[in-house]
Amino acid sequence: MQLIQIGEVRQKTVLDLVQEMAARQLAEIEQLKTNALNRAANRRSIRVRTRCSSATSSSR
């Protein structure tokens, strides 16, 4: 716990800056993971649709 005077603007410490940077990086990594999972799911659904439509076409 750190005591500060009332009205004093608290300066960020190196630890504060590192924690903010780590939080931003974690958020960015989570966003990249979500995007990658969504792209993979889209590719899988496209392949399934393609396989299903080609299976119905070849059975005609």
Side-chain angles (χ1 to χ4, degrees), residues 4 7 11 17 20 22 28 36 38 40 43 45 53-54 56:
I4 60 171
Q11 298 296 316
L17 295 171
E20 286 177 9
E28 185 177 350
N38 289 339
R43 281 194 300 269
S45 69
S53 64
S54 64
T56 55

Side-chain angles (χ1 to χ4, degrees), residues 12-44:
K12 287 186 181 182
T13 64
V14 172
L15 178 61
D16 293 333
L17 295 171
V18 169
Q19 287 175 331
E20 286 177 9
M21 190 184 327
R24 280 194 304 270
Q25 286 178 340
L26 182 62
E28 185 177 350
I29 288 169
E30 291 301 321
Q31 184 62 49
L32 290 169
K33 278 200 248 182
T34 301
N35 291 346
L37 289 171
N38 289 339
R39 281 194 308 271
N42 286 341
R43 281 194 300 269
R44 277 193 300 274

Side-chain angles (χ1 to χ4, degrees), residues 41-57:
N42 286 341
R43 281 194 300 269
R44 277 193 300 274
S45 69
I46 288 170
R47 268 192 249 126
V48 168
R49 278 185 269 153
T50 303
R51 243 186 269 133
C52 289
S53 64
S54 64
T56 55
S57 299

